[in-house]
């Protein structure tokens, strides 16, 4: 039981790390789009937002399950 809990906790840790990395990349892209007035990149960042929302919801669900 304890081993399974730690494995799930490690998976959540990786999940949150991936999510933070993706959010950081989105911030870099959004900043570059703003500085370059690049509408295509800005639209891509906006379009990718749904994936970020889904990742957050999944992480929140997993965190509550661990609690």
């Amino acid at each position: 039981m304890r081993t399974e809990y730690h494995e799930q906790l490690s998976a959540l840790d990786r999940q949150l790390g991936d999510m933070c990395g993706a959010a950081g990349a989105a911030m870099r892209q959004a900043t570059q789009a703003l500085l370059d007035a690049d509408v295509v990149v800005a639209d891509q960042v906006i379009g990718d937002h749904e994936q970020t929302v889904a990742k957050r919801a999944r992480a929140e669900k997993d965190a509550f399950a661990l609690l």
Side-chain angles (χ1 to χ4, degrees):
M1 181 77 156
R2 182 177 284 210
T3 302
E4 183 178 340
Y5 175 78
H6 284 284
E7 288 172 358
Q8 290 174 347
L9 194 58
S10 292
L12 179 62
D13 181 50
R14 286 189 301 276
Q15 189 177 5
L16 291 173
D18 291 344
M19 190 173 64
C20 289
M27 288 298 296
R28 283 189 297 279
Q29 288 177 323
T31 300
Q32 198 60 48
L34 178 63
L35 294 174
D36 295 341
D38 190 335
V39 176
V40 174
V41 175
D43 283 339
Q44 179 184 353
V45 172
I46 292 167
D48 291 345
H49 178 69
E50 288 302 317
Q51 291 177 339
T52 303
V53 170
K55 287 178 184 181
R56 182 205 49 82
R58 193 174 321 116
E60 186 175 286
K61 179 183 170 193
D62 292 347
F64 279 120
L66 284 172
L67 288 175

